[in-house]
Amino acid sequence: MLQRILPVIACTVLAAQSFAQPASLKTTFRNDFLIGAAINTRQIEERDTTAARLIPAQFNALTPENIMKAEIIHPQWDQYNFDLSDKLVDYARKQGIKVNAHNLIWHSQLPGYVRRIKDADSLRSWFAGHISTVAARYDGKVYSWDVVNEALNEDGTMRSSVFLKMLGDDFVVEAFRLAQKAAPHTKLYYNDYNIEQPKKRAGAIALIKKIQAAGVRIDGVGIQGHWRAANVPMKDIEESIRAFSALGIEVMFTELDLGVLPNPWDNTTADVGRTAAYKADMNPYPGGLPDSVERTQADAYAALFRLFLKYSGKVSRITFWGVDDSGSWLNDWPIRGRTNYPLLFDRHGQPKRSFFSVIGTKNATAGY
Ligand code: 9MR
């Protein structure tokens, strides 16, 4: 009798345990790549209780969504504000999580006094001072830096940013040279959106080769991955993993989210400068995601993770741009006040169908 009941008890205990400890992304993919999330101020300060539970359980890499950008970390010419970045570094150390610092040089979210600089010498001196000071402070404390963010146009030419116009097209090489000097123990990356697309990818490859030809260190490239669930460019992504890794650098997906809402334009972009007005038909799912859309997203995430696993020797990190759907930038961009569902955890921090489909790519029995 006892012999017959024992296995039943054992199964019940196991089932209870697996219920108490839901699957973990970082554990599931521990031999494949890091799994990251972008986090905001409330999450850094552990005031978001859902994130405080999810982050240590699910992620082994963190990217600050905003607080290391120049506007916040360097608000005046002679004044730096390291409070939140220091908190982030402490929080990550306490949890044993790696930090990818984001970012040193970006044309967007520049402080007003930098946008008002009129002469190249002043901008050059700000550029060198900013990179050297910020990168040196966190050397050995953060794992990596997005040294330059979004320097390219869609056709692969250099974006006509304040840096290109005033410092010339060597500014990217110079940024990496300064970062290498200030942060010798930190990995250095170039980060951009749509660089899986052939023309922009060619521009990124040329830029990376230029940095390498100058004898300057670049350790990896971040493909942001702001795609739409119904239309993930799988072929371009696979070709990009091959092409970028052929340059001898790591490939990462650094800002992954799969939006499900209609797009006000035909083309895809993650240019934060482009916005559109609210219309109710542009916000079709304020009360919840229909089953069919949920399935489309779950299938798209599964296809992506199967591809990432195929190239796990070349892909070193997958970072989601947010922890759960409630905090995603896509609720407010390109149209403010919508209800989007781009991540793996819902508005209450519960795992979605897409979470289980991602876990299922590693563990075929998990199902979804
Ligand atoms: O998610 C960020 C959002 O909170 C900010 O308002 C926005 C401002 O520029 O930047 C967002 O993050 C961007 C990232 O830094 C670079 N790639 C595109 C991201 C989404 O816009």
Side-chain angles (χ1 to χ4, degrees):
M1 179 65 184
L2 195 59
Q3 267 174 334
R4 257 190 285 144
I5 316 178
L6 270 179
V8 177
I9 297 174
C11 283
T12 314
V13 170
L14 273 178
Q17 274 178 350
S18 57
F19 183 73
Q21 292 175 352
S24 158
L25 294 166
K26 72 171 181 189
T27 310
T28 301
F29 297 104
R30 66 185 175 281
N31 297 323
D32 306 304
F33 23 70
L34 294 170
I35 299 284
I39 66 169
N40 61 32
T41 304
R42 281 185 63 236
Q43 294 163 342
I44 291 169
E45 295 185 331
E46 297 176 72
R47 287 186 281 126
D48 175 338
T49 50
T50 303
R53 168 176 64 80
L54 285 178
I55 292 167
Q58 297 290 338
F59 302 103
N60 48 20
L62 291 174
T63 300
E65 189 174 354
N66 285 301
I67 57 109
M68 291 183 103
K69 293 171 179 172
E71 183 178 65
I72 295 175
I73 209 167
H74 194 173
Q76 301 295 333
W77 186 281
D78 50 3
Q79 185 199 327
Y80 289 87
N81 179 359
F82 294 123
D83 291 358
L84 285 167
S85 303
D86 287 354
K87 277 190 191 168
L88 167 69
V89 167
D90 286 348
Y91 172 62
R93 195 189 43 222
K94 197 172 74 186
Q95 303 290 358
I97 302 180
K98 292 188 165 71
V99 173
N100 174 60
H102 174 87
N103 52 50
L104 285 169
I105 293 298
W106 188 27
H107 62 277
S108 188
Q109 283 180 289
L110 279 172
Y113 70 93
V114 178
R115 283 187 268 116
R116 288 189 293 273
I117 293 175
K118 291 278 176 288
D119 64 297
D121 284 348
S122 299
L123 186 63
R124 201 178 305 280
S125 123
W126 178 84
F127 184 89
H130 178 76
I131 296 175
S132 308
T133 307
V134 179
R137 181 178 181 95
Y138 294 105
D139 190 34
K141 295 185 175 165
V142 300
Y143 180 74
S144 51
W145 266 108
D146 290 335
V147 177
V148 176
N149 196 39
E150 303 175 5
L152 293 163
N153 290 319
E154 298 307 290
D155 66 359
T157 58
M158 295 290 290
R159 182 193 286 268
S160 130
S161 68
V162 59
F163 301 113
L164 185 84
K165 284 191 267 188
M166 291 173 78
L167 307 182
D169 60 7
D170 279 345
F171 86 86
V172 176
V173 176
E174 285 317 307
F176 276 83
R177 199 192 300 279
L178 289 158
Q180 171 178 8
K181 189 150 178 268
H185 309 100
T186 309
K187 294 200 180 230
L188 307 178
Y189 303 144
Y190 176 72
N191 191 54
D192 210 334
Y193 59 85
N194 287 354
I195 49 172
E196 74 283 354
Q197 297 300 319
K199 283 187 185 154
K200 199 163 180 181
R201 184 201 311 156
I205 290 172
L207 198 57
I208 293 162
K209 284 188 170 165
K210 187 171 171 180
I211 298 167
Q212 293 174 325
V216 174
R217 177 166 64 90
I218 172 166
D219 300 295
V221 61
I223 300 170
Q224 292 185 4
H226 296 293
W227 294 306
R228 297 162 57 68
N231 186 21
V232 180
M234 297 297 293
K235 181 167 166 284
D236 297 321
I237 297 169
E238 179 158 13
E239 284 170 8
S240 299
I241 297 173
R242 289 168 181 256
F244 285 129
S245 59
L247 302 172
I249 58 173
E250 297 168 44
V251 181
M252 286 149 290
F253 293 86
T254 51
E255 305 188 11
L256 182 58
D257 46 26
L258 299 184
V260 297
L261 299 184
N263 189 336
W265 313 295
D266 295 338
N267 59 337
T268 46
T269 177
D271 187 339
V272 289
R274 289 202 66 191
T275 55
Y278 184 91
K279 279 200 242 127
D281 63 351
M282 282 291 177
N283 189 26
Y285 318 123
L289 202 54
D291 203 53
S292 62
V293 184
E294 214 176 76
R295 277 178 195 278
T296 300
Q297 186 188 56
D299 289 345
Y301 265 122
L304 263 177
F305 271 75
R306 277 194 293 271
L307 182 66
F308 297 156
L309 284 170
K310 177 173 170 192
Y311 292 96
S312 63
K314 303 182 188 312
V315 173
S316 58
R317 171 166 54 91
I318 313 295
T319 289
F320 294 88
W321 203 242
V323 176
D324 67 49
D325 284 343
S326 71
S328 167
W329 74 297
L330 290 173
N331 294 308
D332 286 308
W333 186 89
I335 296 174
R336 289 192 75 84
R338 297 200 295 178
T339 308
N340 209 331
Y341 301 80
L343 299 168
L344 300 190
F345 296 95
D346 71 13
R347 290 181 152 63
H348 308 288
Q350 294 304 311
K352 292 162 55 180
R353 188 190 295 269
S354 290
F355 171 88
F356 293 108
S357 77
V358 164
I359 297 280
T361 59
K362 191 67 187 180
N363 171 9
T365 57
Y368 63 94

